[in-house]
Amino acid sequence: RILLESHPDQYKAMAYRGEFLYYQGLNAEAERTFARAIELSKQSGERVPELLAAMLYASQGQRDRIHPVVFSTPPEGIVDGDGAYWLGGIHCILGDRDKAFDFIEREGIPAIAQDDPRRGDLDLLRIRALVGLGRTEEAARTAAVLADRARARG
């Protein structure tokens, strides 16, 4: 916030502020912040504001508002862990299991083998993404539901 007070047009700092607001559950303020960051970044070619905003849009089920770069970027086109983490999280929230695993494995989280039964468990991936996003209470609730299901199955 201090950086933005002295540099109000710093789109990357603004995008990260939007991310913090999203993590705090302040979605309306996050959305306004992302919109401004995206507008300011248009001439730069930078995609960080669109990627961070995509987390919010995905969590609201607004796939149509997500920048096309999210869907067109292949995992092997990612050269840093942050990008892989963000894209994996977005695809996880959207329910795109295979793409989410591909990006998250690229990010450096230990790979889950193709024949491992957990690979098909989107809930497991969702828990990992929620924990990584700092949303531990939601992750704990999801884990509790999974544990209840497992106990019910015997």
Side-chain angles (χ1 to χ4, degrees):
R1 192 165 74 197
I2 295 169
L3 175 64
L4 287 173
E5 287 173 5
S6 58
H7 302 285
D9 291 340
Q10 208 326 313
Y11 60 84
K12 198 176 271 190
M14 191 171 296
Y16 285 114
R17 176 155 169 68
E19 179 185 29
F20 296 137
L21 292 167
Y22 164 70
Y23 290 156
Q24 293 172 347
L26 302 171
N27 291 350
E29 189 175 349
E31 188 165 351
R32 287 189 299 275
T33 303
F34 284 135
R36 180 73 177 133
I38 290 167
E39 182 179 322
L40 290 170
S41 70
K42 287 215 186 278
Q43 300 302 318
S44 72
E46 178 70 54
R47 294 292 180 226
V48 168
E50 282 98 346
L51 290 176
L52 294 176
M55 289 281 219
L56 172 67
Y57 303 146
S59 73
Q60 296 174 337
Q62 298 177 344
R63 185 184 277 271
D64 60 313
R65 293 189 66 194
I66 296 173
H67 194 281
V69 74
V70 169
F71 303 111
S72 63
T73 302
E76 57 277 359
I78 298 297
V79 295
D80 65 45
D82 287 342
Y85 176 78
W86 292 333
L87 287 166
I90 293 163
H91 285 289
C92 177
I93 293 167
L94 291 171
D96 300 334
R97 177 180 49 93
D98 293 333
K99 274 204 158 193
F101 268 108
D102 291 343
F103 281 104
I104 288 175
E105 288 173 357
R106 180 95 176 154
E107 189 264 342
I109 294 174
I112 296 176
Q114 292 287 341
D115 60 348
D116 188 319
R118 294 176 301 158
R119 186 168 175 91
D121 189 348
L122 182 58
D123 290 326
L124 175 64
L125 177 60
R126 193 167 276 130
I127 290 168
R128 291 171 73 184
L130 289 169
V131 169
L133 293 171
R135 295 167 61 183
T136 53
E137 289 179 23
E138 190 175 344
R141 285 192 303 272
T142 303
V145 168
L146 288 175
D148 288 344
R149 285 184 201 158
R151 279 192 292 278
R153 284 191 302 261

